[in-house]
Amino acid sequence: MRLHPVSFFSLFFALLFMAPAPGFAQELEGRIRYLVTHDWSKKFAAVDYISKQARERNAYMWGNRSEWKVYTEMFITPTQTKYQDAEEKAEPEDEGYSWRKEEFMVQRNFETQTNYEVFTMLGKKYLLQDSIHGQDWKILNDMKEVAGHVCMNAFWEDTLKMQKVSAWFALDIPVSSGPERFCGLPGLILEVDVNDGGMIITADKIETRQLTSELDLPKKSKGKKITEAEFRSLLKKHVDEKRKAEEPPFWGVRY
Amino acid sequence: MKKVCLPLAFACLCLLLSSVLSAQTPSRITIKGTVFDTSGAEIPFATVMLLNPKDTTLVNFSRSDEKGVFSFKNVKNSPYLFKISYIGYIPYTQALATSPTEVNDLGIVRIKPITQELMEVVIRTAKAPLRIRGDTIEYDATTFKVPPGSTVEDLLRRLPGIEVDADGNIRAQGKDVQRVYVDGKTFFGDDPKSATKNLGAETISKVQVYDEKSEQAKLTGVEDGKKEKTMNLELKEEFKKGSFGKITGAIGTEDRWALRGNYNRFNTKQQLSFIAFANNINQTGVNWEDYGEFKGQNTFNDNDNGDFGFGSNRRGWYYFSGDDSPLNNFDGRGFTKNYGGGTNYNFDNKKSKFNISYFYNESTLNLDQYSFRETFLSDNSFTNTDTVTQLDFRGSHSISTRLEQEIDSNDIVIIKANMRLGSNTSDNRQGQLFAESGMPPTNSLELNNNTELSSWRLSGTAIYRHRFKKKGRSIAGSAGYNGSSSDGTENIFSLNRFFQATTLTEQIRQLNNNDNQTQQLKASLLFTEPLHKKWFWETFYNFSQTDNKVNRQVLNPEINNERIDNLSIFYDFNVLYNRLGSDVRYSYEGVNIAVGLAAQQLQLDGKYAIDENLPLLTDPIRRNFTNLIPNLDFSWQLPNNMWLGLNYGYGVEEPRLNDLQPVPNVNNPAFRTEGNPNLVPQRSHDVSGNFNYWNAASFANVGIGMGANFFDNNIVYNQTIEVIDSVGIRTTTRPDNVSGGQNFYTYLWSSFPIIKTKLTFDVNGNINANRSPSFVNGVENETRSNGYQVQAGLNLTPNPKLIVGLDGSLGFNKITYSIQESQNQNIQNHSVDASIKWQFAAKTFLESNLNYSVFRNDRFGFNQEVPIWNASVRRLLGKNNRLEVRLAAFDLLNKKVSITQTGTANYVIRNVASTLARYYMLSLSYNMRGYEDKLKKNGWW
């Protein structure tokens, strides 16, 4: 695309008269669909305790063939979000093998500052209830657009799960939430890249609509009740064991 | 109480002190201000953030109100990076020091708009992350498409906010660009155009534009306030580009030697590799690890053979594509000398995947083997011993290529082709001694056969898939060709000596010319229609036509190579295959069921003559077989990583070509093989089931499976054993159809830690049972074979430098013959194995294993024990452990021998072959990537 050249003059005019792009903080209520792309060979490449040779060989042998895609969704109001696996299939349906979905949900209520999660880890179901714990994000200066929203870049390194997380949060959706366990930024997280493509979560569809029962908590589900701290220590124990066994830690644990 | 009081008092003191101090620098402050833009308008709802100045970690955030006013109340008084970001504006950053007062009023903060063009074009249209660092604006060059061969100048013309005039002068944001750097360095002098006119656009990853101090200011160090527009071109960071490889040379005692090496070059899209090996230590190919590195991302492929319908594998599952693979496949017998080498190229940019690979492989085998065979008849049995000396050469060139092209997200084409040229020469000297059980030998047979064979094989497949707009509806079609040809001669000599008969010797010479050709055309179609969210309906059609031409001319060298008519045959055999089927599939939440039915038709056409141009021996034979084939696939993924699978199919298998030939093969006069042109396809009900469980928390695995085949119609090999004057004891084998016969198998495997990460136990067991009827001299014999095998092992890793393994296995095979129960066999193969891997000094490793095997068959009083002990020491040397020296001892006890024991039909056979025994070897290896400086724990996952 060839652009009209920008002269100093027109730039000056633009600065003077151009009304800034309307950037009102939206009172968003609706559903956001995220496309999640997993690449197990890239996940494997980030496991620092497995020998470099083994990781390089694995990446070389799998190339671009270790990807799979799923959809997740988030229901959002200015004060609440609920994130879970979506019904839609991201892989072509005609090839039809249907995997079982583990029960999974992350519910955050910003009025009561509570976080409620249901998930399966290592074959066991847990109910995590605690206050909202955001990550220690570093704010970077990059900008890009995701699903029609201009986003800023933030970075966090999870030393426990060996994940380098790059998140893009919307400046105009002032809800401090995001997909999976990611939250705590000044705007809603619309894209996350974990370990350079190991897992990429991108908002691909935003529907504004009045929500009815979508944010309701599921019926009492059975599972072990734990807190954030207990979850971290369970995870740490597992990663430490896998480190000793020199096996990747991510099978059986949501990435 | 005193103990508590003291700290409490101290705390009070601290509190007091801190409040006194806060009179000077308050501990908690309020930071406030108002956001305006450079034109003087207030900015409502801007995101304002406080960051940790050390690492830009987010500490607090807020938003300005309708009037642009913001405040952070009650925050810790410390230095911050204060940041404002707002859509359409350049992010604003200001360093805040510790505040002397309780309120740090920043007053009016002005933020600069991003030009609308940058905003719209870079961020919105190109979806390129636009990086803004202070005044630097960075473009991601890879998102602006330019034709191949373009220069940087062409690229710059496409960047918003940058102009290039006819002379190549550059202006950025309205100002002339004074300097162009490449990776921060000047490029061939001062002319900014030299870089932009000469560098290729594809080498650039980022374009950065910023203001730099003037040359004058840099020289004098005096700030003159002048800024010059500067552009930096960042070259592509091709971090994935690289190469690796290794080479090993080894020499040993007993004239043993080995060489092998591989080299790979790759970048993000391409992989090129070379591999070669040569040795006389029975490595007929490469190991799995080297093979994976050789084939790169083409090691695993979709199993896209284009055969749709029952029995075909689902797309999206990856398979090891091991056809014609140069993997080591030595069977343990004899001495081999091997040479091989090849090259492989892969291209993959996600839309197109291309592979081409060439390999040459040759192997020369020297084999000395002794066999003992006992054959049971209804009233007696006979034995023969067999001593073989064989010199065998096999060489092959293979080329394979594959292209997968995604036309768009709904259409994909896959084209594959494989070609193989082979040659084989074999010199076989065999001495056989025949006797009735417990009697002195009746005759001896000496055979001397020379074989030469050259062959080629070519196969090509094209597959096209299309997905319709309606979700879940798709069509796939495939077409393929398979052709093969072999041309061989067999020069056969046999000398039969009789110890008791009147004729003392019988000599046969025979020259066979074999010329075989097969051509196959095939095509398949598959249509999938979604019936409902979870229901699909699949319809498929398969077609193939196979033309086999076999010409076997048997000549008598003693009478001017005259044809022996009753052994020569030409036949042209056609198989026409049609299958039309349909199934309904349910897929939801881990439950996948498919139930279907197909109609299958096989049409066999055969023509027989003595030679190609001679009149037919019989009228052409045409036979049709039509079957209805039901099929069921059920797989259920239960919670907690449990899987259950069940399958039922009805198998119809056409007879093998060799079994249909109407004249006998008498290369060995004592073992005559006849064909049966009246054979009909083998048919069976096949059922199988499996269960798997994996516990991620305890690291335990369990798998159980079972399966059975019930034959409606079974192709079996009937035997006629008779004493013929000129031959002695002659066994004639002839295939025939019988009803009945069953196979059954079941297996179990499990592995679980006794002490997590330190001690693991694994166990395997399997049971095989089969009943097969056949006729021996016209009497029905049912052979029942029951095999039991159990293996258990312990793996101990007390610390990362030591791994100890202990393994044992027991194997029993009970074979009963209904015609003569006294001959029932109990074949036993047992073994124990102990191994150690020990890093006993820095970069130095000891590896050793001891295997003790017992081969028994009590009925013959056979009991052989074979202990094998291997040991090696290796040490890593050099920078990054690139060198490895290894001293290895193979079979220290000098006991290695190959023993196999099998019992089927109405005979039992035992082979003992000599093979490479004790030798010592010293090897030196160089690895460009370096060797791992630790014990290898896991092979593969």
Side-chain angles (χ1 to χ4, degrees):
Chain A
M1 173 187 330
R2 183 78 182 96
L3 281 161
H4 189 70
V6 189
S7 67
F8 185 76
F9 188 69
S10 69
L11 192 79
F12 178 76
F13 262 84
L15 294 186
L16 257 178
F17 300 109
M18 191 188 76
F24 307 117
Q26 293 176 9
E27 294 278 289
L28 178 66
E29 177 164 346
R31 173 183 184 258
I32 299 172
R33 187 177 76 174
Y34 290 93
L35 175 66
V36 187
T37 308
H38 292 273
D39 186 324
W40 85 266
S41 132
K42 287 178 177 161
K43 291 178 186 180
F44 188 79
V47 183
D48 57 13
Y49 54 76
I50 289 174
S51 84
K52 197 165 151 270
Q53 285 92 340
R55 286 185 280 157
E56 281 176 0
R57 184 164 51 247
N58 192 71
Y60 189 80
M61 283 174 64
W62 282 94
N64 292 332
R65 295 164 195 227
S66 45
E67 256 185 28
W68 76 95
K69 292 177 174 158
V70 291
Y71 282 124
T72 57
E73 63 190 0
M74 178 185 279
F75 294 103
I76 181 168
T77 67
T79 55
Q80 273 190 68
T81 61
K82 182 175 156 192
Y83 177 80
Q84 61 193 22
D85 291 321
E87 280 283 313
E88 295 118 299
K89 284 182 181 174
E91 298 283 354
E93 301 209 16
D94 56 299
E95 285 157 15
Y97 180 88
S98 164
W99 297 89
R100 183 184 197 90
K101 281 192 200 115
E102 306 275 4
E103 201 178 327
F104 169 75
M105 186 216 66
V106 182
Q107 226 262 11
R108 298 192 184 101
N109 187 327
F110 296 94
E111 276 174 337
T112 56
Q113 279 296 312
T114 48
N115 185 44
Y116 181 63
E117 291 176 39
V118 181
F119 59 92
T120 305
M121 186 165 86
L122 305 174
K124 200 169 168 185
K125 204 165 113 190
Y126 293 96
L127 312 175
L128 188 152
Q129 200 151 13
D130 212 318
S131 55
I132 297 173
H133 285 78
Q135 288 78 24
D136 288 332
W137 296 104
K138 288 177 182 155
I139 306 295
L140 306 174
N141 250 345
D142 308 358
M143 282 189 192
K144 76 167 177 180
E145 189 190 90
V146 182
H149 293 262
V150 175
C151 294
M152 280 201 89
N153 195 194
F155 177 82
W156 174 59
E157 184 162 5
D158 183 347
T159 47
L160 177 53
K161 285 168 96 178
M162 290 167 289
Q163 293 182 348
K164 293 192 166 92
V165 183
S166 166
W168 297 86
F169 62 97
L171 291 170
D172 55 353
I173 310 175
V175 180
S176 184
S177 191
E180 302 293 327
R181 311 195 81 240
F182 304 113
C183 64
L185 283 163
L188 183 71
I189 300 170
L190 292 181
E191 185 169 305
V192 179
D193 180 343
V194 183
N195 286 335
D196 282 326
M199 174 171 74
I200 298 175
I201 308 171
T202 315
D204 78 332
K205 204 160 136 192
I206 299 181
E207 304 158 34
T208 317
R209 64 171 148 103
Q210 205 75 35
L211 297 182
T212 50
S213 60
E214 288 92 338
L215 281 162
D216 293 354
L217 289 178
K219 284 170 275 165
K220 277 284 171 221
S221 39
K222 281 180 203 164
K224 194 176 183 235
K225 285 186 180 140
I226 51 167
T227 62
E228 178 75 22
E230 286 162 346
F231 167 71
R232 302 285 295 176
S233 80
L234 268 175
L235 192 61
K236 185 169 171 1
K237 183 171 162 265
H238 176 67
V239 174
D240 286 347
E241 279 170 2
K242 283 292 178 187
R243 184 183 295 273
K244 271 191 193 153
E246 287 171 37
E247 282 168 19
F250 45 74
W251 303 123
V253 178
R254 202 162 168 108
Y255 197 59
Chain B
M1 274 308 267
K2 272 184 185 172
K3 274 181 187 167
V4 182
C5 273
L6 197 66
L8 201 70
F10 183 71
C12 286
L13 194 74
C14 283
L15 211 67
L16 205 72
L17 205 69
S18 69
S19 65
V20 172
L21 280 173
S22 71
Q24 287 137 3
T25 41
S27 66
R28 293 269 160 191
I29 55 167
T30 295
I31 299 171
K32 64 174 194 173
T34 313
V35 188
F36 276 77
D37 75 3
T38 39
S39 66
E42 59 222 18
I43 303 287
F45 310 121
T47 306
V48 286
M49 293 171 263
L50 293 179
L51 313 181
N52 183 334
K54 277 183 206 150
D55 58 2
T56 74
T57 304
L58 182 66
V59 178
N60 206 334
F61 61 86
S62 178
R63 230 157 243 274
S64 61
D65 65 12
E66 292 87 345
K67 299 210 163 119
V69 177
F70 67 87
S71 68
F72 294 99
K73 292 196 174 106
N74 199 28
V75 293
K76 215 174 118 198
N77 189 7
S78 67
Y80 290 109
L81 273 182
F82 169 67
K83 192 173 187 107
I84 304 174
S85 88
Y86 189 64
I87 293 173
Y89 288 79
I90 293 174
Y92 172 89
T93 314
Q94 182 186 344
L96 303 182
T98 310
S99 172
T101 55
E102 277 193 14
V103 175
N104 185 1
D105 191 345
L106 304 177
I108 287 169
V109 185
R110 290 182 196 278
I111 58 175
K112 272 199 269 182
I114 301 174
T115 71
Q116 199 181 9
E117 296 215 317
L118 280 181
M119 192 67 200
E120 291 298 317
V121 178
V122 181
I123 299 182
R124 290 236 146 95
T125 314
K127 294 210 185 285
L130 176 74
R131 182 161 295 183
I132 301 158
R133 280 200 212 103
D135 283 341
T136 305
I137 291 177
E138 187 177 275
Y139 300 85
D140 183 350
T142 55
T143 51
F144 295 90
K145 294 279 171 275
V146 286
S150 302
T151 61
V152 172
E153 200 177 286
D154 301 324
L155 171 73
L156 293 181
R157 285 179 208 275
R158 298 191 180 231
L159 300 185
I162 292 180
E163 299 164 59
V164 184
D165 69 16
D167 296 332
N169 296 310
I170 309 161
R171 284 164 73 81
Q173 284 134 39
K175 285 183 188 164
D176 286 329
V177 171
Q178 309 284 340
R179 273 190 295 274
V180 174
Y181 293 135
V182 176
D183 271 351
K185 292 177 194 132
T186 37
F187 184 82
F188 290 119
D190 281 342
D191 183 5
K193 287 178 281 187
S194 69
T196 53
K197 279 193 180 296
N198 292 312
L199 275 178
E202 72 277 5
T203 61
I204 304 299
S205 71
K206 284 170 189 146
V207 176
Q208 294 156 345
V209 180
Y210 53 95
D211 294 321
E212 201 182 49
K213 288 177 200 167
S214 69
E215 223 31 58
Q216 187 68 20
K218 274 204 226 165
L219 273 173
T220 59
V222 179
E223 196 71 59
D224 58 2
K226 281 186 196 162
K227 293 277 170 81
E228 288 176 351
K229 272 279 174 233
T230 306
M231 179 178 279
N232 181 40
L233 304 172
E234 211 174 286
L235 293 176
K236 264 184 193 156
E237 172 198 14
E238 286 178 316
F239 61 98
K240 277 192 166 174
K241 184 174 179 170
S243 59
F244 60 90
K246 52 180 185 275
I247 185 159
T248 297
I251 48 162
T253 58
E254 317 292 321
D255 295 325
R256 295 299 126 188
W257 57 270
L259 273 173
R260 63 179 170 271
N262 63 344
Y263 178 72
N264 300 48
R265 283 184 69 83
F266 64 97
N267 60 28
T268 46
K269 284 185 188 147
Q270 300 175 81
Q271 300 180 326
L272 176 66
S273 51
F274 302 91
I275 196 165
F277 66 89
N279 67 70
N280 63 0
I281 52 168
N282 288 345
Q283 290 171 352
T284 63
V286 301
N287 64 30
W288 164 244
E289 195 177 300
D290 289 347
Y291 178 75
E293 290 185 351
F294 175 66
K295 293 292 267 186
Q297 55 195 20
N298 205 49
T299 314
F300 301 98
N301 264 323
D302 267 343
N303 190 28
D304 43 14
N305 57 8
D307 297 335
F308 310 127
F310 305 153
S312 68
N313 289 300
R314 286 224 180 283
R315 210 177 118 72
W317 297 83
Y318 285 104
Y319 289 87
F320 161 57
S321 55
D323 293 351
D324 285 338
S325 79
L327 282 168
N328 189 1
N329 59 2
F330 181 64
D331 68 0
R333 301 180 306 151
F335 299 80
T336 60
K337 193 187 268 187
N338 312 286
Y339 298 91
T343 180
N344 183 74
Y345 171 77
N346 296 331
F347 174 86
D348 188 340
N349 70 354
K350 289 208 177 183
K351 288 219 163 207
S352 316
K353 295 182 169 76
F354 174 73
N355 161 263
I356 186 159
S357 173
Y358 164 79
F359 212 92
Y360 174 74
N361 202 351
E362 69 162 65
S363 187
T364 310
L365 168 73
N366 254 304
L367 175 68
D368 284 298
Q369 179 170 278
Y370 167 83
S371 306
F372 172 82
R373 170 172 160 143
E374 180 156 11
T375 307
F376 314 114
L377 308 176
S378 51
D379 45 2
N380 67 340
S381 66
F382 74 90
T383 60
N384 71 287
T385 60
D386 192 343
T387 313
V388 182
T389 302
Q390 192 183 336
L391 180 66
D392 184 77
F393 168 87
R394 274 164 208 278
S396 68
H397 298 267
S398 27
I399 297 175
S400 69
T401 182
R402 180 180 187 278
L403 172 71
E404 182 177 329
Q405 179 69 46
E406 203 183 301
I407 299 162
D408 53 51
S409 59
N410 290 322
D411 294 86
I412 191 164
V413 173
I414 297 167
I415 299 166
K416 303 194 302 177
N418 291 295
M419 196 177 83
R420 182 185 159 100
L421 290 171
S423 71
N424 177 206
T425 59
S426 177
D427 180 17
N428 203 49
R429 284 158 202 275
Q430 205 168 347
Q432 293 181 310
L433 201 60
F434 295 82
E436 283 192 37
S437 183
M439 306 288 277
T442 53
N443 64 312
S444 78
L445 181 62
E446 255 177 66
L447 293 161
N448 188 350
N449 297 352
N450 282 299
T451 309
E452 267 179 47
L453 181 80
S454 65
S455 61
W456 61 261
R457 197 171 72 217
L458 179 69
S459 69
T461 310
I463 304 166
Y464 170 71
R465 287 170 200 277
H466 173 74
R467 287 190 196 103
F468 293 92
K469 274 194 185 137
K470 185 172 177 185
K471 250 190 184 178
R473 180 188 288 170
S474 71
I475 192 162
S478 75
Y481 165 80
N482 293 306
S484 69
S485 166
S486 72
D487 195 349
T489 57
E490 294 166 306
N491 201 337
I492 289 159
F493 170 80
S494 67
L495 179 66
N496 212 340
R497 285 198 184 86
F498 300 91
F499 304 129
Q500 288 128 12
T502 44
T503 329
L504 284 181
T505 57
E506 178 78 29
Q507 182 176 310
I508 301 172
R509 285 189 65 192
Q510 199 179 302
L511 186 68
N512 299 349
N513 287 325
N514 297 317
D515 188 0
N516 297 348
Q517 276 175 22
T518 302
Q519 314 249 21
Q520 183 185 56
L521 286 174
K522 58 190 220 177
S524 281
L525 266 179
L526 171 70
F527 181 71
T528 307
E529 176 71 21
L531 295 175
H532 187 259
K533 267 188 180 173
K534 308 163 189 174
W535 294 88
F536 296 86
W537 176 40
E538 292 171 325
T539 307
F540 57 86
Y541 170 67
N542 311 101
F543 162 85
S544 77
Q545 169 157 28
T546 315
D547 179 23
N548 303 291
K549 281 197 176 74
V550 175
N551 196 352
R552 177 182 175 84
Q553 296 298 307
V554 180
L555 313 176
N556 188 341
E558 282 170 1
I559 323 172
N560 291 328
N561 281 347
E562 194 175 272
R563 181 174 59 224
I564 305 173
D565 279 358
N566 63 351
L567 295 178
S568 300
I569 186 84
F570 166 78
Y571 57 103
D572 187 345
F573 191 77
N574 276 293
V575 182
L576 183 69
Y577 171 83
N578 279 291
R579 187 172 73 162
L580 179 66
S582 194
D583 70 11
V584 174
R585 205 177 72 220
Y586 172 88
S587 293
Y588 185 69
E589 285 288 298
V591 180
N592 295 278
I593 309 171
V595 183
L597 188 69
Q600 173 179 299
Q601 192 189 39
L602 265 175
Q603 182 183 304
L604 312 181
D605 278 294
K607 282 182 227 166
Y608 303 96
I610 290 174
D611 198 353
E612 189 162 5
N613 302 314
L614 294 178
L616 297 186
L617 287 172
T618 56
D619 287 337
I621 300 167
R622 163 169 290 199
R623 278 182 303 156
N624 269 305
F625 303 97
T626 307
N627 292 96
L628 274 181
I629 302 172
N631 195 75
L632 167 78
D633 286 315
F634 170 74
S635 107
W636 186 17
Q637 188 187 357
L638 293 139
N640 300 327
N641 296 311
M642 283 190 273
W643 285 266
L644 182 69
L646 288 171
N647 297 288
Y648 165 77
Y650 189 69
V652 179
E653 210 177 308
E654 66 196 65
R656 285 188 300 180
L657 200 56
N658 277 343
D659 288 344
L660 289 162
Q661 60 177 2
V663 301
N665 177 331
V666 285
N667 286 0
N668 182 339
F671 292 92
R672 182 184 163 96
T673 312
E674 288 184 355
N676 179 356
N678 297 316
L679 279 184
V680 302
Q682 178 166 294
R683 289 177 285 125
S684 63
H685 298 272
D686 307 325
V687 289
S688 67
N690 61 71
F691 172 81
N692 290 295
Y693 169 64
W694 169 61
N695 187 325
S698 69
F699 302 7
N701 293 296
V702 180
I704 300 167
M706 57 184 68
N709 314 94
F710 302 95
F711 291 94
D712 275 352
N713 201 323
N714 200 348
I715 295 178
V716 298
Y717 298 89
N718 294 334
Q719 303 208 19
T720 311
I721 291 133
E722 55 210 323
V723 178
I724 297 215
D725 279 350
S726 60
V727 182
I729 298 167
R730 187 179 79 177
T731 305
T732 306
T733 308
R734 181 186 160 90
D736 210 343
N737 293 98
V738 296
S739 62
Q742 296 154 28
N743 290 327
F744 170 81
Y745 68 87
T746 179
Y747 64 83
L748 173 138
W749 54 264
S750 177
S751 125
F752 54 88
I754 294 171
I755 306 166
K756 249 192 199 177
T757 75
K758 291 216 190 296
L759 184 62
T760 308
F761 178 71
D762 64 271
V763 61
N764 273 294
N766 63 64
I767 301 170
N768 293 294
N770 66 65
R771 287 185 189 192
S772 56
S774 67
F775 288 85
V776 177
N777 287 351
V779 180
E780 186 171 357
N781 170 41
E782 188 180 73
T783 309
R784 290 185 178 208
S785 160
N786 293 322
Y788 312 89
Q789 211 166 27
V790 60
Q791 172 268 325
L794 279 172
N795 192 296
L796 176 69
T797 313
N799 65 57
K801 303 204 169 199
L802 183 66
I803 301 173
V804 181
L806 188 65
D807 217 285
S809 76
L810 296 173
F812 300 91
N813 192 6
K814 290 194 171 152
I815 305 152
T816 61
Y817 303 95
S818 66
I819 47 165
Q820 210 188 119
E821 281 169 8
S822 61
Q823 294 292 358
N824 294 353
Q825 305 285 318
N826 185 1
I827 296 173
Q828 302 179 39
N829 298 317
H830 310 309
S831 78
V832 276
D833 192 278
S835 68
I836 182 169
K837 292 181 186 177
W838 182 27
Q839 182 171 14
F840 62 97
K843 299 184 178 188
T844 314
F845 304 83
L846 171 81
E847 275 130 326
S848 181
N849 80 306
L850 181 67
N851 181 292
Y852 192 87
S853 299
V854 181
F855 302 87
R856 275 176 76 164
N857 187 339
D858 290 341
R859 224 189 56 76
F860 299 122
F862 179 73
N863 188 355
Q864 189 155 353
E865 297 169 6
V866 183
I868 306 287
W869 182 22
N870 299 323
S872 74
V873 182
R874 64 188 172 97
R875 186 178 173 92
L876 307 180
L877 300 166
K879 198 183 160 196
N880 297 328
N881 304 318
R882 289 201 177 114
L883 274 177
E884 186 190 74
V885 183
R886 184 168 185 255
L887 181 66
F890 297 90
D891 186 18
L892 276 159
L893 308 171
N894 207 13
K895 294 279 189 190
K896 194 146 186 173
V897 66
S898 157
I899 297 174
T900 54
Q901 304 187 84
T902 39
T904 50
N906 63 328
Y907 59 87
V908 57
I909 190 163
R910 179 174 75 236
N911 295 316
V912 180
S914 60
T915 185
L916 190 53
R918 179 167 59 201
Y919 68 102
Y920 301 88
M921 200 160 221
L922 180 69
S923 65
L924 184 66
S925 303
Y926 176 80
N927 185 338
M928 285 168 64
R929 287 203 282 223
Y931 288 96
E932 286 176 49
D933 185 16
K934 59 178 181 183
L935 292 177
K936 275 190 192 174
K937 252 186 183 172
N938 302 299
W940 203 254
W941 54 82

